[in-house]
Amino acid sequence: MMNRFANGARRARFAGWLVFGVLAGTTAQAHASDLLASAKSAGVLRVANTQSSPPWSLLDNSNQPAGYDVEMAREVAKRIGVAEVVFVADSFKNFVEGLKSGKYDLVMNDLTPTPERGKQVDFGVPYGVEDFRIFVRADNANIKGQPDLKGKRVGVTTGSSNESWARAHLKDSDIRTYDNGGLVFSDLGTGRIDAVIISHFGGMKYANVNHLPVKEVGDPLIYQLSAPALAKNQPALLAAVNKAIDEMMADGTIDRLAKKWVGPNYDMVGTIAKAKEQKE
């Protein structure tokens, strides 16, 4: 009798655990699919950027977020039905974990889709593209291209695709990481490092704004697309963001914002198309 009672109790507990597990899984799935609905309900879309990677994201003279990615994020929010964007300052190395932990809804900051990142987060359609170059001090006559980086101290931004590329292709260089692009250029200017690998646009912006004695050398090292990143299992948010970017690509918004922030002669839409063709 006691055994039958004990067995019945165990079966009841197991059934309870099973129901609880199903409900918990259902709740988790519902929660996972709620980011777009939550953003619309709250009227706020949380978007991460570094605020220190011009021309993509920076702080303007009023200490407010500005740049190509910033304006793109605001336009995306408007088109998906969210009134306000709250920008969360973070570094490249934290973006993936920040999305996974729910710290923000999107990352829009010149973030390149890579197979490694794609295992942990999802990417929308590309809305930006750039080439990465070598920057050295203006008085450096020894480094003229990639082969000359052997044995040299090379600065990169922590967690960025230029760090990944440098570690994969510059095995004989001393790779040094920085959380802030401004700091890496400061060290280049003072001679603490020999070279920096960064995008053409970002490098020229730092050089011009900070009046640093640096120059760009060699051919482009790598050609990279950028796209919005978001947590896995967010089909509604992903679809809405992709639709907004496709519309902006077609109606001239991307072209207008690129000319404003990247350069008046820069063909962002055409260059994205060429980069996608090359990758394929």
Side-chain angles (χ1 to χ4, degrees):
M1 184 74 174
M2 290 296 293
N3 286 339
R4 287 199 299 271
F5 177 80
N7 289 337
R10 282 196 291 270
R11 285 196 296 271
R13 283 198 300 272
F14 176 78
W17 292 334
L18 182 62
V19 171
F20 175 79
V22 170
L23 289 175
T26 303
T27 301
Q29 291 175 355
H31 176 72
S33 62
D34 271 349
L35 278 185
L36 179 60
S38 296
K40 286 184 174 182
S41 176
V44 173
L45 185 70
R46 302 167 301 159
V47 178
N49 53 29
T50 66
Q51 300 178 12
S52 63
S53 48
W56 315 110
S57 75
L58 60 144
L59 294 177
D60 62 18
N61 293 334
S62 301
N63 210 37
Q64 296 301 309
Y68 176 74
D69 287 87
V70 169
E71 290 208 40
M72 283 290 299
R74 287 181 174 135
E75 185 66 26
V76 165
K78 182 172 71 174
R79 294 183 185 225
I80 68 175
V82 181
E84 181 186 358
V85 178
V86 171
F87 291 102
V88 181
D90 213 337
S91 59
F92 277 100
K93 68 178 182 178
N94 294 332
F95 282 158
V96 169
E97 289 303 320
L99 286 169
K100 290 167 64 177
S101 67
K103 187 176 179 180
Y104 23 78
D105 306 313
L106 288 177
V107 171
M108 292 185 69
N109 194 116
D110 188 34
L111 190 64
T112 301
T114 66
E116 294 77 15
R117 290 170 178 162
K119 293 174 184 177
Q120 302 184 72
V121 299
D122 284 336
F123 285 91
V125 295
Y127 65 88
V129 65
E130 59 182 328
D131 56 340
F132 282 70
R133 301 291 192 103
I134 301 168
F135 282 80
V136 298
R137 278 179 57 94
D139 58 4
N140 188 318
N142 298 318
I143 299 177
K144 299 177 181 178
Q146 181 180 340
D148 302 318
L149 295 177
K150 183 177 181 179
K152 299 298 192 294
R153 301 163 298 177
V154 180
V156 294
T157 305
T158 305
S160 65
S161 50
N162 54 335
E163 180 191 359
S164 302
W165 184 91
R167 294 198 182 281
H169 295 87
L170 303 177
K171 300 290 189 182
D172 297 321
S173 299
D174 177 7
I175 306 301
R176 302 192 178 186
T177 58
Y178 293 77
D179 289 346
N180 184 289
L183 295 178
V184 68
F185 265 87
S186 176
D187 274 9
L188 178 63
T190 59
R192 290 191 180 94
I193 54 177
D194 303 302
V196 171
I197 293 176
I198 195 170
S199 73
H200 163 75
F201 306 114
M204 294 306 297
K205 194 82 171 183
Y206 281 122
N208 294 333
V209 170
N210 297 317
H211 307 292
L212 296 173
V214 301
K215 63 182 179 181
E216 187 179 75
V217 297
D219 295 325
L221 299 173
I222 186 171
Y223 202 45
Q224 295 181 336
L225 294 162
S226 61
L230 62 158
K232 290 282 188 183
N233 302 315
Q234 295 291 334
L237 181 60
L238 180 61
V241 170
N242 283 345
K243 181 174 183 290
I245 292 174
D246 285 340
E247 291 173 352
M248 294 162 72
M249 192 80 72
D251 67 17
T253 302
I254 284 179
D255 183 60
R256 174 177 59 81
L257 294 179
K259 283 178 167 49
K260 175 181 177 180
W261 288 103
V262 182
N265 299 316
Y266 191 69
D267 178 13
M268 182 70 82
V269 174
T271 309
I272 288 173
K274 290 177 183 177
K276 289 169 73 174
E277 288 172 4
Q278 286 185 6
K279 290 178 74 67
E280 293 165 2

